[in-house]
Each structure stands twice: as structure tokens, then as C-alpha cells.
Amino acid sequence: MALRPGYRRRALSMTSLIDVIFLLLLFFMLSSTFSKFAEVELAGTGSQGAATEDRMLFLQVTPDTLRLNTAHLGIESLSTRLAELVTDGEAKLLLSISGDVTSQRLTDVLVILRAQPKLALSILAPT
């Protein structure tokens, strides 16, 4: 009866594992961004005094469209439409956000609204 030669396990090489970890580390370091994102300030509403002669606007933000008062419009035409509506005096805008709106879309809309100097903004949070 012939005995099998003893099976000997070969030691694992850590070199290839270290190479893979190094390549993954290098990939994630080069693919990530280290720049600061713009901050958008959300200020609370002012005092609830007597009603003024300000123009009232309503903007509803959904994932697909924007609706200013009753007119549907795209995000690229929001700035010009607001400039047309707020030509004389101050205006108050009530912003309604749908629950499905992404934070990037909301930030894009808030940047456009912040560029309007004569616009007071109030935000309705989704329920």
C-alpha cells in the first residue's frame, strides 16, 4: 500500500492583497472631490405685523415641474419670470416642496430665489 506524499499547504502571499488595497485607496482618493459645496441660508420669516401692499406669489416645487402661481414653467425660466413679476416693490413668495423633491433640485431653486433681491421667502415643509 503506497502512501500518498504529504499534502503541504502553500503560504498565502500578502503582496497581491496589499496591491489591491492600494489600488482601491488610490481610486477613491482620485475620484472624490474635496471642494466645499455652496451653502444656502434659510432664514426664518420676519415679524407677523400688519399686512403690507407686497405682492404674494406661490411656487410649488415637484420632482418634474415648477408651478409659479398657476403657470407651469421650467427651472431655466424661473429667474426671468420672477423678475417680470417683481418689478415694483417687494414681493413675498411662499415655497411649497413636494416630498419627493431631491435636495439638489431644492438647492437649485433656492439659489435662483436668493438672487432676487426684492423677494421675501417663506418655506412650507412637506408633511
Side-chain angles (χ1 to χ4, degrees), residues 56-60 67-69 92-96 124:
M56 295 295 294
L57 302 172
F58 180 73
L59 178 65
Q60 184 178 15
R67 190 167 43 188
L68 183 60
N69 292 340
K92 291 183 180 178
L93 183 118
L94 184 61
L95 180 66
S96 173
L124 292 176

Side-chain angles (χ1 to χ4, degrees), residues 2-116:
L3 291 175
R4 281 183 173 174
Y7 182 77
R8 193 167 179 205
R9 283 192 169 178
R10 204 172 67 182
L12 288 174
S13 172
M14 295 299 285
T15 306
S16 60
L17 181 63
I18 292 172
D19 288 343
V20 169
I21 292 173
F22 177 73
L23 287 174
L24 286 173
L25 178 67
L26 188 65
F27 170 76
F28 287 119
M29 284 177 57
L30 293 177
S31 64
S32 62
T33 57
F34 295 106
S35 61
K36 268 184 139 177
F37 291 102
E39 295 178 4
V40 177
E41 295 178 17
L42 296 177
T45 58
S47 62
Q48 301 293 329
T52 60
E53 296 298 320
D54 294 344
R55 182 176 180 128
M56 295 295 294
L57 302 172
F58 180 73
L59 178 65
Q60 184 178 15
V61 180
T62 63
D64 302 327
T65 61
L66 297 174
R67 190 167 43 188
L68 183 60
N69 292 340
T70 58
H72 289 275
L73 50 104
I75 196 164
E76 60 278 348
S77 60
L78 178 62
S79 180
T80 56
R81 184 69 181 131
L82 283 172
E84 292 170 359
L85 292 174
V86 187
T87 54
D88 52 338
E90 299 277 325
K92 291 183 180 178
L93 183 118
L94 184 61
L95 180 66
S96 173
I97 305 163
S98 170
D100 299 336
V101 173
T102 62
S103 59
Q104 181 61 51
R105 182 158 173 84
L106 176 61
T107 303
D108 293 341
V109 170
L110 289 175
V111 166
I112 292 171
L113 296 177
R114 190 172 182 193
Q116 300 292 328

